[in-house]
Amino acid sequence: MARAATTSDAFNAIAEPQRRDILVLLRGGERPVTELARDLGMTQPQASKHLRVLREVGLVKVREAGKQRLYGLDARGLRPIHEWVGGFEQFWNESFDRLDDYVRELKQAHQEGPDHGDDEQ
């Protein structure tokens, strides 16, 4: 089965680490492409290409502000990812519960353990 085009869905779009970095920066608010490029150490054309992909899958919105275009996070586009990851929440919770139980057992065994010969003569 052929891999979907990068612009077809949010999963493929965020597979690129630099796009995830852009989303992290946009959590703090709208930013122009020049700032994003500078903060990520890439050229403006590279940043623009990533922003175009993120816009096409609904993760980023753009707003005209005078001569500037401001890019902002559109978190609604992350819903499919959130829902998919959320399906693993029960697994993680059960795993952490088992780990907590194991740590408690280890602590209890340590407290009930021998005195290492301190009282023996």
Side-chain angles (χ1 to χ4, degrees):
M1 182 175 187
R3 183 175 170 199
T6 304
T7 58
S8 68
D9 67 30
F11 289 94
N12 284 325
I14 66 165
E16 166 60 51
Q18 291 178 313
R19 292 191 195 117
R20 292 192 305 267
D21 292 343
I22 288 171
L23 294 176
V24 169
L25 288 175
L26 292 178
R27 279 191 319 207
E30 293 180 320
R31 313 257 309 255
V33 67
T34 53
E35 279 185 27
L36 292 168
R38 181 195 67 222
D39 291 351
L40 295 171
M42 64 176 71
T43 66
Q44 185 172 338
Q46 288 172 319
S48 293
K49 182 178 177 183
H50 289 306
L51 286 165
R52 179 183 49 78
V53 170
L54 292 169
R55 226 178 38 250
E56 288 176 359
V57 298
L59 295 175
V60 167
K61 57 190 175 198
V62 63
R63 178 175 69 86
E64 300 291 330
K67 294 181 180 183
Q68 221 172 26
R69 294 173 60 120
L70 297 176
Y71 294 87
L73 179 65
D74 189 349
R76 294 174 299 179
L78 291 170
R79 181 170 297 284
I81 295 165
H82 175 74
E83 290 172 353
W84 183 79
V85 170
F88 293 94
E89 186 174 5
Q90 181 177 355
F91 169 80
W92 291 330
N93 286 338
E94 290 170 359
S95 296
F96 289 133
D97 288 345
R98 285 192 303 274
L99 181 60
D100 286 341
D101 292 344
Y102 179 68
V103 169
R104 272 194 291 278
E105 289 172 15
L106 285 176
K107 285 181 179 178
Q108 185 175 3
H110 180 70
Q111 290 172 350
E112 295 174 357
D115 293 311
H116 305 295
D118 291 344
D119 293 337
E120 295 179 15
Q121 294 192 354

Short mmCIF file of all heavy atoms in Angstrom, two decimals, residues 29-52:
data_model
loop_
_atom_site.label_atom_id
_atom_site.label_comp_id
_atom_site.label_asym_id
_atom_site.label_seq_id
_atom_site.Cartn_x
_atom_site.Cartn_y
_atom_site.Cartn_z
N GLY A 29 1.62 31.34 20.61
CA GLY A 29 0.90 32.42 19.93
C GLY A 29 1.34 32.58 18.49
O GLY A 29 2.26 31.90 18.02
N GLU A 30 0.67 33.48 17.81
CA GLU A 30 0.95 33.71 16.39
C GLU A 30 2.36 34.24 16.18
O GLU A 30 2.87 35.00 17.00
CB GLU A 30 -0.04 34.72 15.82
CG GLU A 30 -1.46 34.24 15.77
CD GLU A 30 -2.40 35.29 15.20
OE1 GLU A 30 -2.23 36.48 15.54
OE2 GLU A 30 -3.29 34.91 14.44
N ARG A 31 2.94 33.83 15.05
CA ARG A 31 4.30 34.27 14.72
C ARG A 31 4.42 34.44 13.21
O ARG A 31 3.84 33.67 12.46
CB ARG A 31 5.34 33.23 15.16
CG ARG A 31 5.19 32.69 16.56
CD ARG A 31 6.13 33.22 17.59
NE ARG A 31 7.52 33.22 17.31
CZ ARG A 31 8.41 32.40 17.83
NH1 ARG A 31 8.02 31.43 18.63
NH2 ARG A 31 9.68 32.54 17.56
N PRO A 32 5.22 35.40 12.76
CA PRO A 32 5.50 35.50 11.32
C PRO A 32 6.52 34.43 10.92
O PRO A 32 7.29 33.93 11.75
CB PRO A 32 6.07 36.90 11.16
CG PRO A 32 6.60 37.26 12.50
CD PRO A 32 5.78 36.51 13.51
N VAL A 33 6.54 34.10 9.64
CA VAL A 33 7.43 33.06 9.14
C VAL A 33 8.89 33.40 9.41
O VAL A 33 9.70 32.51 9.67
CB VAL A 33 7.17 32.78 7.64
CG1 VAL A 33 7.55 33.97 6.78
CG2 VAL A 33 7.91 31.53 7.18
N THR A 34 9.24 34.69 9.36
CA THR A 34 10.63 35.07 9.59
C THR A 34 11.10 34.69 10.99
O THR A 34 12.22 34.21 11.17
CB THR A 34 10.84 36.58 9.36
OG1 THR A 34 9.88 37.30 10.15
CG2 THR A 34 10.68 36.95 7.91
N GLU A 35 10.26 34.89 11.98
CA GLU A 35 10.60 34.51 13.36
C GLU A 35 10.72 33.00 13.49
O GLU A 35 11.63 32.49 14.15
CB GLU A 35 9.55 35.02 14.35
CG GLU A 35 9.69 36.45 14.74
CD GLU A 35 8.67 36.83 15.82
OE1 GLU A 35 8.24 35.94 16.59
OE2 GLU A 35 8.30 38.01 15.86
N LEU A 36 9.77 32.29 12.90
CA LEU A 36 9.81 30.83 12.98
C LEU A 36 11.09 30.29 12.35
O LEU A 36 11.76 29.43 12.93
CB LEU A 36 8.57 30.23 12.30
CG LEU A 36 7.24 30.49 12.99
CD1 LEU A 36 6.08 30.11 12.09
CD2 LEU A 36 7.17 29.74 14.31
N ALA A 37 11.41 30.81 11.18
CA ALA A 37 12.62 30.36 10.48
C ALA A 37 13.86 30.66 11.33
O ALA A 37 14.73 29.79 11.50
CB ALA A 37 12.73 31.04 9.12
N ARG A 38 13.93 31.86 11.87
CA ARG A 38 15.09 32.24 12.68
C ARG A 38 15.22 31.33 13.90
O ARG A 38 16.29 30.79 14.19
CB ARG A 38 14.95 33.69 13.12
CG ARG A 38 16.14 34.19 13.96
CD ARG A 38 15.85 35.47 14.70
NE ARG A 38 14.83 35.21 15.72
CZ ARG A 38 13.81 36.02 15.98
NH1 ARG A 38 13.64 37.14 15.32
NH2 ARG A 38 12.94 35.72 16.92
N ASP A 39 14.12 31.14 14.63
CA ASP A 39 14.17 30.35 15.86
C ASP A 39 14.46 28.88 15.61
O ASP A 39 14.96 28.19 16.50
CB ASP A 39 12.86 30.51 16.64
CG ASP A 39 12.69 31.91 17.22
OD1 ASP A 39 13.66 32.70 17.17
OD2 ASP A 39 11.59 32.21 17.72
N LEU A 40 14.14 28.41 14.43
CA LEU A 40 14.37 27.00 14.11
C LEU A 40 15.65 26.79 13.30
O LEU A 40 15.98 25.66 12.95
CB LEU A 40 13.17 26.42 13.36
CG LEU A 40 11.89 26.37 14.21
CD1 LEU A 40 10.70 26.01 13.35
CD2 LEU A 40 12.05 25.39 15.36
N GLY A 41 16.34 27.87 12.98
CA GLY A 41 17.59 27.75 12.25
C GLY A 41 17.42 27.23 10.84
O GLY A 41 18.23 26.45 10.35
N MET A 42 16.38 27.69 10.18
CA MET A 42 16.15 27.29 8.78
C MET A 42 15.91 28.54 7.94
O MET A 42 15.74 29.62 8.47
CB MET A 42 14.97 26.31 8.68
CG MET A 42 13.62 26.88 9.09
SD MET A 42 12.21 25.75 8.86
CE MET A 42 12.49 24.54 10.14
N THR A 43 15.92 28.35 6.64
CA THR A 43 15.66 29.47 5.75
C THR A 43 14.16 29.77 5.73
O THR A 43 13.34 28.91 6.08
CB THR A 43 16.12 29.17 4.32
OG1 THR A 43 15.31 28.11 3.79
CG2 THR A 43 17.60 28.79 4.28
N GLN A 44 13.83 30.97 5.30
CA GLN A 44 12.42 31.33 5.21
C GLN A 44 11.68 30.43 4.21
O GLN A 44 10.57 30.00 4.50
CB GLN A 44 12.26 32.81 4.85
CG GLN A 44 10.82 33.25 4.87
CD GLN A 44 10.66 34.74 4.70
OE1 GLN A 44 11.57 35.51 4.97
NE2 GLN A 44 9.48 35.16 4.27
N PRO A 45 12.27 30.11 3.03
CA PRO A 45 11.57 29.20 2.12
C PRO A 45 11.31 27.82 2.73
O PRO A 45 10.25 27.24 2.51
CB PRO A 45 12.50 29.11 0.92
CG PRO A 45 13.27 30.40 0.93
CD PRO A 45 13.45 30.71 2.39
N GLN A 46 12.26 27.32 3.53
CA GLN A 46 12.04 26.04 4.18
C GLN A 46 10.87 26.13 5.17
O GLN A 46 10.00 25.26 5.20
CB GLN A 46 13.30 25.59 4.94
CG GLN A 46 14.43 25.14 4.07
CD GLN A 46 15.70 24.91 4.88
OE1 GLN A 46 16.03 25.68 5.79
NE2 GLN A 46 16.42 23.85 4.55
N ALA A 47 10.87 27.18 5.97
CA ALA A 47 9.80 27.37 6.95
C ALA A 47 8.46 27.53 6.24
O ALA A 47 7.45 26.96 6.67
CB ALA A 47 10.09 28.57 7.83
N SER A 48 8.44 28.28 5.14
CA SER A 48 7.20 28.49 4.39
C SER A 48 6.66 27.17 3.84
O SER A 48 5.45 26.94 3.86
CB SER A 48 7.43 29.47 3.24
OG SER A 48 7.71 30.74 3.74
N LYS A 49 7.55 26.32 3.38
CA LYS A 49 7.12 25.01 2.85
C LYS A 49 6.48 24.17 3.96
O LYS A 49 5.42 23.58 3.77
CB LYS A 49 8.32 24.29 2.25
CG LYS A 49 7.98 22.97 1.64
CD LYS A 49 9.21 22.32 1.02
CE LYS A 49 8.86 20.96 0.45
NZ LYS A 49 10.02 20.27 -0.10
N HIS A 50 7.11 24.15 5.13
CA HIS A 50 6.55 23.40 6.26
C HIS A 50 5.21 23.99 6.69
O HIS A 50 4.25 23.25 6.97
CB HIS A 50 7.52 23.38 7.43
CG HIS A 50 8.73 22.53 7.22
ND1 HIS A 50 8.67 21.21 6.85
CD2 HIS A 50 10.05 22.83 7.33
CE1 HIS A 50 9.89 20.71 6.75
NE2 HIS A 50 10.74 21.68 7.02
N LEU A 51 5.12 25.31 6.72
CA LEU A 51 3.87 25.96 7.10
C LEU A 51 2.76 25.65 6.11
O LEU A 51 1.60 25.47 6.50
CB LEU A 51 4.07 27.47 7.24
CG LEU A 51 4.83 27.91 8.48
CD1 LEU A 51 5.30 29.34 8.34
CD2 LEU A 51 3.98 27.73 9.73
N ARG A 52 3.10 25.59 4.82
CA ARG A 52 2.10 25.26 3.81
C ARG A 52 1.52 23.87 4.06
O ARG A 52 0.31 23.66 4.04
CB ARG A 52 2.70 25.33 2.41
CG ARG A 52 1.69 24.98 1.31
CD ARG A 52 2.28 24.98 -0.09
NE ARG A 52 3.53 24.24 -0.23
CZ ARG A 52 3.62 22.91 -0.33
NH1 ARG A 52 2.54 22.17 -0.30
NH2 ARG A 52 4.80 22.34 -0.47
#
